């Protein structure tokens, strides 16, 4: 695409002709010949601080937000686009030929459950014969497995590139996680969501949002998205029900869960050794469904996925038939088994609400003892740390405190913050070595016990200082269970 065609209607100055655009990026480290570097106003500094680096990397032009900065002195064209951050999605959509218009877009928000609902929706849709994609914390998946991801919802340029990838792969629909950051920062601005869902509302991201109320208000914005056709909410979550009651939208409204007014209604959910036995009521008919998933809240996630899938054209009977074939979402109540060893469950729970839900769900499967291994991330909401401790202590028979992703924060200070929430801190085993904590928890556990390893889920790395180290809870668990089973 030519730069003047790309910026037509965006720039308030003349744009030189004959400049070819082969790539858009916000990251000067990703610049390659033919790239256009987009310099936005950042939370720490303006992107123009990296314009010279982009020029040296082979950028053909720099597009920048002129707010509060002088025009840069570069040898390549530098074009001012007022309000670039807010219009970046629109600009990227033009570059990638508006991929969202070729897809039915589904947006899923909520404090917990987003990844599970998006993944389960994709599984159900594919089993019903649809070619679909999913996008979120687990990465983009067009049907051949997820690619890695660094954000729940990517930046607008990456997002449009991934939508184009899904379109070009022949997908007709895509479900994506929509984080509060993405809504607040305009990453999903202008996307034509056809169907949206809200799973629940709790406490999270108070390192970014000024209050819980602001965080919830940001999430609720998705329910009144322009042009949305249907809204799907968890009828068992009071704050979500309240959000639905006050939302201004003419969209069709659908309830899922155990509430009596739910279309996809769970009459009962029983935790059994092999998963969940769901008694489902739909259109006046009862269905017995065996879900090969752990944690009663996963029944709600399945019903959310089914409600959204039905809105996307899947037949209800086909969805019910597909449910027993569902697979565990990586890092979301992921059971790791080995004969002669305790059951391990790896879960991404990193909020007080999610940790409590995971522990209570495992309790329902009636282990002899429930062991919890968890930590808290650095450079994130410090206020939730003692709350996490209180939850772990209340619902577990034994607690191991260890490092999560300390990032740039002192791991010992994180421990101090967490320990303030324990009533009996001396009963807690604490070690900064996460692999050692997992190993000790599993070795000490009996064969009828369940060990929950919480916080990192699907992640295959650990962030310590400025290092990104290879680390997978699932891999560590698998190796230790093999050792235990061999004894």
């Amino acid at each position: 695409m030519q730069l003047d065609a790309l910026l037509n209607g965006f720039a308030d100055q003349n744009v030189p002709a004959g400049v070819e655009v082969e790539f858009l990026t916000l990251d000067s480290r990703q610049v390659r010949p033919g790239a256009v570097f987009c310099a936005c106003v950042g939370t720490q500094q303006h992107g123009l601080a990296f314009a010279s680096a982009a020029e040296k990397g082979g950028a053909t032009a720099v597009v920048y937000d002129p707010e509060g900065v002088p025009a840069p002195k570069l040898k390549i064209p530098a074009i001012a686009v007022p309000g670039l951050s807010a219009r970046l999605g629109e600009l990227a959509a033009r570059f990638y030929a508006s991929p969202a218009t070729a897809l039915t877009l589904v947006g899923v928000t909520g404090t917990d459950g987003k990844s599970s609902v998006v993944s389960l929706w994709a599984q159900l849709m594919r089993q019903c014969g649809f070619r679909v994609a999913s996008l979120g914390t687990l990465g983009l998946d067009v049907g051949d497995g997820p690619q890695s991801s660094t954000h729940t919802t990517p930046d607008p340029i990456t997002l449009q590139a991934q939508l184009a990838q899904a379109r070009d792969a022949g997908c007709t629909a895509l479900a994506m996680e929509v984080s509060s950051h993405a809504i607040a920062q305009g990453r999903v601005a202008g996307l034509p969501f056809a169907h949206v869902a809200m799973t629940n509302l709790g406490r999270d991201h108070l390192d970014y949002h000024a209050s819980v109320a602001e965080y919830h208000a940001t999430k609720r914005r998705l329910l009144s998205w322009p042009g949305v056709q249907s809204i799907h909410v968890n009828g068992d979550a009071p704050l979500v029900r309240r959000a639905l009651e006050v939302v201004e939208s003419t969209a069709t409204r659908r309830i899922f869960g155990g509430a009596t007014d739910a279309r996809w209604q769970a009459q009962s959910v029983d935790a059994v050794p092999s998963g969940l036995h769901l008694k489902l009521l739909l259109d006046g008919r009862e269905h017995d469904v065996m879900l090969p998933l752990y944690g009663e809240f996963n029944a709600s996630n399945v019903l959310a996925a089914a409600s959204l899938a039905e809105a996307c054209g899947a037949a209800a009977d086909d969805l019910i038939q597909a449910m027993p074939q569902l697979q565990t979402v990586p890092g979301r109540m992921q059971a790791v088994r080995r004969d002669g060893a305790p059951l391990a469950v790896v879960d991404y729970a990193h909020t007080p609400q999610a940790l409590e839900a995971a522990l209570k769900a495992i309790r329902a499967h009636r282990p002899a003892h429930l062991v919890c291994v968890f930590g808290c991330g650095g450079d994130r909401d410090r206020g939730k740390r003692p709350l996490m401790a209180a939850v772990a202590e209340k619902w577990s028979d034994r607690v191991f405190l260890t490092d999560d992703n300390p990032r740039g924060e002192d791991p010992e200070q994180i421990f101090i913050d967490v320990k303030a929430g324990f009533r009996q801190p001396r009963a807690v085993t604490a070690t900064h070595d996460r692999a050692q904590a997992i190993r000790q928890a599993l070795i000490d556990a009996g064969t009828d016990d369940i060990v929950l390893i919480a916080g990192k889920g699907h992640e295959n790395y650990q962030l310590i200082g400025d290092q990104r180290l290879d680390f997978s809870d699932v891999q560590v668990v698998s190796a230790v269970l093999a050792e235990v089973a061999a004894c």
Side-chain angles (χ1 to χ4, degrees), residues 119-447:
S119 177
L120 293 167
W121 171 89
Q123 290 186 53
L124 289 173
M125 289 289 286
R126 288 169 186 151
Q127 289 184 49
C128 292
F130 293 84
R131 183 71 184 267
V132 300
S134 60
L135 176 62
T137 307
L138 300 177
L140 174 68
D141 185 354
V142 297
D144 52 4
Q147 305 168 6
S148 61
S149 175
T150 57
H151 292 84
T152 299
T153 312
D155 66 78
I157 294 176
T158 302
L159 176 55
Q160 291 294 333
Q162 291 177 325
L163 292 176
Q165 188 175 343
R167 174 198 61 197
D168 296 345
C171 297
T172 58
L174 179 145
M176 63 180 291
E177 299 178 49
V178 182
S179 67
S180 60
H181 289 76
I183 297 173
Q185 295 171 4
R187 294 186 218 161
V188 292
L191 288 185
F193 288 113
H195 312 288
V196 297
M198 180 175 283
T199 56
N200 49 54
L201 286 173
R203 173 193 174 116
D204 203 8
H205 300 308
L206 294 193
D207 53 304
Y208 179 82
H209 297 284
S211 65
V212 172
E214 179 193 295
Y215 166 63
H216 287 179
T218 303
K219 290 280 192 183
R220 289 196 299 268
R221 284 168 55 186
L222 188 65
L223 300 184
S224 55
W225 206 257
V228 69
Q229 299 170 23
S230 68
I231 302 169
H232 305 253
V233 300
N234 182 358
D236 301 325
L239 289 177
V240 175
R241 292 295 296 253
R242 198 171 308 156
L244 183 65
E245 291 169 1
V246 300
V247 67
E248 295 183 2
S249 175
T250 58
T252 300
R253 304 180 183 209
R254 288 283 184 263
I255 309 294
F256 59 85
T260 56
D261 60 344
R263 169 166 172 74
W264 289 85
Q265 183 187 135
Q267 289 190 302
S268 66
V269 181
D270 295 321
V272 296
S274 57
L276 300 171
H277 179 217
L278 169 66
K279 285 191 175 182
L280 171 65
L281 180 63
L282 181 71
D283 291 332
R285 291 188 297 158
E286 294 184 355
H287 305 267
D288 283 324
V289 183
M290 188 62 215
L291 302 174
L293 307 172
Y294 286 85
E296 291 186 14
F297 53 80
N298 260 324
S300 176
N301 291 334
V302 170
L303 296 181
S307 185
L308 287 166
E310 185 181 30
C312 292
D317 288 343
D318 292 342
L319 291 168
I320 294 171
Q321 290 297 316
M323 287 179 182
Q325 281 72 53
L326 290 170
Q327 297 180 7
T328 301
V329 180
R332 304 308 193 271
M333 294 298 284
Q334 182 176 354
V336 185
R337 294 179 175 277
R338 192 81 181 227
D339 290 342
L343 172 65
V345 177
V346 176
D347 191 70
Y348 192 54
H350 58 279
T351 66
Q353 176 183 346
L355 184 60
E356 182 172 26
L359 288 167
K360 291 172 69 174
I362 292 174
R363 276 282 181 206
H365 291 274
R366 297 181 288 278
H369 299 93
L370 175 52
V371 182
C372 178
V373 180
F374 85 105
C376 291
D379 300 330
R380 296 295 186 269
D381 178 11
R382 292 182 62 180
K384 72 180 181 181
R385 293 173 184 173
L387 304 179
M388 297 276 286
V391 166
E393 185 177 49
K394 177 179 179 180
W395 294 101
S396 308
D397 297 302
R398 186 176 181 186
V399 176
F400 286 78
L401 173 62
T402 190
D403 285 355
D404 189 285
N405 290 316
R407 297 183 179 86
E409 198 170 346
D410 178 8
E412 192 56 38
Q413 181 58 53
I414 297 175
F415 270 24
I416 291 172
D417 292 345
V418 175
K419 288 178 179 178
F422 291 122
R423 297 180 63 184
Q424 298 181 27
R426 293 185 179 180
V428 176
T429 302
T431 175
H432 291 292
D433 187 331
R434 189 173 180 90
Q436 177 57 32
I438 293 172
R439 184 176 187 279
Q440 193 62 52
L442 291 170
I443 287 177
D444 291 353
T447 55

